[in-house]
Amino acid sequence: MFHIFAAQVKGFLGGCRPIIGINGAHLSGYYKGVMLTAVAIDENNEIFVLPYGIVDTESIDSWTYFFRNLRCLFAQYESQKDDWTFISDRMRGVESALFEVFPRATRRICCQHLYSNCKAAGWSGAAFHKMFWIAANAYNEYVFEKTMSKIKDFDAAAYDYLKNVEEQWSVHMFNRTVCCDHNTTNFVESFNAITKANRDMPVLTLLEDVRNWCMKRMGSRFDKAVSMEPNDLTEHAKGVLATRTDDSRFCHVTAAGDGEFEVRDDHVKFPVTLGNMTCGCGKWQGSGIPCKHGLRVIYNQRLDPRDFVSPFYKGPAYKLTYGDHIHPMADPTHWPSLDVPEIAPPQGKRNAGRPPKQRRRAAHEAKKGKRHKNNKCSLCKELGHNAVTCKAKKASSKKTTHAASSSQQGNTRGKRKAAT
Ligand SMILES: [Zn+2]
């Protein structure tokens, strides 16, 4: 089956960025089967559910069925666009099916998946991990090429492997008009996490729970979108602007005339063009939100940063995305009787015994919940601990100093008493 509500397809075609994340998750109940999902990202960087389907197995046939329905659906809503950007893992059948149905599509691969592939091939360790993610998150070619040459020195085979990846994976490769710098499928995984609790339920119960979740989610955002003004930014864009404004304090601007500027950040210089909304670092074009260099210029020129944020993060687009909502539904017992064929459940039943709920992880995959030792604290920017530990550490050190000073005071008081 393939399923979507009108509010979802209208919302996606109306306001969302043209990127679609796809994934398949196994059903863990009585029937075997796979739930295929397509998820987009809204203006507030939250997930926006597109169609989901249930098929027997992941294969070229089942993915072709899914993509064909998706294309027909877009055509039904008068969208002839066929150069969508898709992001996924390397799942069975996806590539051939995708390019058969959408020959002009762009394909991004999830970097988390790509890194796992590298790890399985034997390239791992803290140094490779660091270089890989710098290359994956490089907003400009210079940083990418520089890091790739370091990877080449580390291991020539790893360099060859990464150079020959056919899908797009490093941020600087992405189409700027998409305005989306996501290079992992974490947003699709978060929808999978929501359906996980119900994937061992009968198919209709699963579908009903997902419908209910989508209705609730779209309803709350529909109410929020109503009050948004044309130049209002979403919470996500506001947050990014605030962080980048903070970081922009140490940049120095030199005007070059005709809306062009040179911004010095530490000892590196970046050219900024206000009219084109571009910066040499590539972050502005890549994310659609001014980078710290662009922001320094905007503040320097006494302009409003909101005017330089992509329309994909503003009120009108948010209103289009949540311009409609999923209407409430009566209980199935109250439905009118329809003369339609019954849909058969997925073929193939499980053997006796309870199927495992947890996914079996491969030998090279990290254990569930294991934190990377290179995690960075968001407060003090140091490696090796997180913000919670940092806060606790600071609080305990404050307590010790306070206790020490109060005990010192106590001692002097005692001495004074003795003296009198
Ligand atoms: Zn910049």
Side-chain angles (χ1 to χ4, degrees), residues 6-111:
Q8 292 171 314
V9 63
K10 276 189 214 162
F12 173 68
L13 295 173
C16 286
R17 285 168 274 178
I19 178 164
I20 303 167
I22 47 171
N23 206 346
H26 287 269
L27 301 185
S28 53
Y30 181 63
Y31 288 106
K32 285 178 181 173
V34 180
M35 187 175 184
L36 307 183
T37 48
V39 178
I41 317 164
D42 71 8
E43 293 70 20
N44 200 23
N45 233 26
E46 293 179 310
I47 57 169
F48 186 83
V49 181
L50 286 173
Y52 39 93
I54 290 176
V55 292
D56 294 331
T57 53
E58 265 186 88
S59 63
I60 298 180
D61 283 351
S62 59
W63 275 114
T64 309
Y65 162 80
F66 189 81
F67 289 130
R68 277 222 179 101
N69 274 299
L70 192 65
R71 188 157 184 163
C72 288
L73 185 80
F74 290 159
Q76 211 179 320
Y77 282 85
E78 283 157 13
S79 166
Q80 297 308 326
K81 184 179 164 65
D82 62 349
D83 54 348
W84 299 98
T85 299
F86 288 86
I87 181 164
S88 71
D89 294 351
R90 279 182 183 146
M91 293 169 295
R92 203 186 303 156
V94 167
E95 191 167 351
S96 346
L98 176 67
F99 289 113
E100 195 195 316
V101 183
F102 292 100
R104 293 180 61 225
T106 309
R107 188 158 178 234
R108 292 185 191 179
I109 188 182
C110 172
C111 282

Side-chain angles (χ1 to χ4, degrees), residues 49 102 112-113 118 126 158 168 171 174 196 201 212 236 249 280 291 299 311 323 328 345 392 409:
V49 181
F102 292 100
Q112 200 65 54
H113 187 84
C118 291
Q168 295 185 345
V171 179
F174 299 165
K196 190 182 172 185
M201 294 287 187
N212 194 275
H236 163 74
R249 281 173 300 161
C291 60
Y299 290 127
Q409 275 178 4

Side-chain angles (χ1 to χ4, degrees), residues 81-367:
K81 184 179 164 65
D82 62 349
D83 54 348
W84 299 98
T85 299
F86 288 86
I87 181 164
S88 71
D89 294 351
R90 279 182 183 146
M91 293 169 295
R92 203 186 303 156
V94 167
E95 191 167 351
S96 346
L98 176 67
F99 289 113
E100 195 195 316
V101 183
F102 292 100
R104 293 180 61 225
T106 309
R107 188 158 178 234
R108 292 185 191 179
I109 188 182
C110 172
C111 282
Q112 200 65 54
H113 187 84
L114 188 64
Y115 180 70
S116 295
N117 286 356
C118 291
K119 231 175 153 184
W123 310 305
S124 57
F128 180 74
H129 178 270
K130 197 176 170 189
M131 286 187 290
F132 174 86
W133 283 105
I134 291 177
N137 296 327
Y139 278 90
N140 61 62
E141 214 174 339
Y142 171 75
V143 173
F144 177 75
E145 291 299 341
K146 200 177 156 194
T147 317
M148 285 302 280
S149 74
K150 281 183 188 169
I151 292 178
K152 196 176 185 177
D153 295 339
F154 172 81
D155 194 319
Y159 171 83
D160 288 341
Y161 174 76
L162 289 174
K163 266 278 167 190
N164 293 326
V165 171
E166 282 174 9
E167 303 94 341
Q168 295 185 345
W169 61 282
S170 170
V171 179
H172 82 282
M173 299 168 178
F174 299 165
N175 182 351
R176 303 306 197 203
T177 57
V178 179
C179 261
C180 178
D181 50 8
H182 283 256
N183 58 2
T184 61
T185 48
N186 292 352
F187 66 100
V188 197
E189 298 284 347
S190 55
F191 178 59
N192 274 358
I194 289 150
T195 60
K196 190 182 172 185
N198 295 318
R199 282 206 305 270
D200 62 344
M201 294 287 187
V203 174
L204 289 183
T205 315
L206 163 69
L207 294 178
E208 171 53 15
D209 284 341
V210 175
R211 182 201 67 85
N212 194 275
W213 183 85
C214 290
M215 179 179 76
K216 201 167 126 193
R217 192 177 170 88
M218 280 200 88
S220 63
R221 280 150 186 82
F222 176 88
D223 291 342
K224 207 161 103 185
V226 172
S227 59
M228 281 190 91
E229 298 292 329
N231 217 18
D232 274 357
L233 297 181
T234 56
E235 295 302 319
H236 163 74
K238 276 185 207 164
V240 175
L241 271 188
T243 321
R244 291 186 186 172
T245 302
D246 248 19
D247 295 343
S248 75
R249 281 173 300 161
F250 304 108
C251 299
H252 298 276
V253 180
T254 317
D258 199 22
E260 291 189 311
F261 301 85
E262 196 175 273
V263 181
R264 186 163 53 80
D265 176 14
D266 208 0
H267 56 277
V268 190
K269 284 178 271 179
F270 297 98
V272 170
T273 315
L274 269 189
N276 298 343
M277 301 207 264
T278 55
C279 172
C281 76
K283 217 170 195 171
W284 193 348
Q285 309 86 291
S287 61
I289 301 174
C291 60
K292 57 179 175 178
H293 317 114
L295 276 172
R296 194 69 265 148
V297 173
I298 292 165
Y299 290 127
N300 203 281
Q301 297 296 301
R302 302 188 191 287
L303 297 166
D304 186 350
R306 289 181 300 178
D307 297 336
F308 296 88
V309 173
S310 157
F312 280 126
Y313 296 102
K314 287 184 179 172
Y318 198 65
K319 274 187 172 169
L320 286 170
T321 304
Y322 296 102
D324 218 335
H325 54 98
I326 301 172
H327 298 284
M329 199 174 71
D331 193 78
T333 50
H334 298 182
W335 291 358
S337 55
L338 294 168
D339 188 21
V340 288
E342 229 171 71
I343 302 173
Q347 284 170 5
K349 290 172 194 169
R350 290 185 190 279
N351 298 331
R354 187 162 57 89
K357 272 197 167 190
Q358 295 289 342
R359 184 170 64 86
R360 205 170 289 156
R361 286 166 192 264
H364 61 270
E365 278 185 276
K367 274 182 194 159

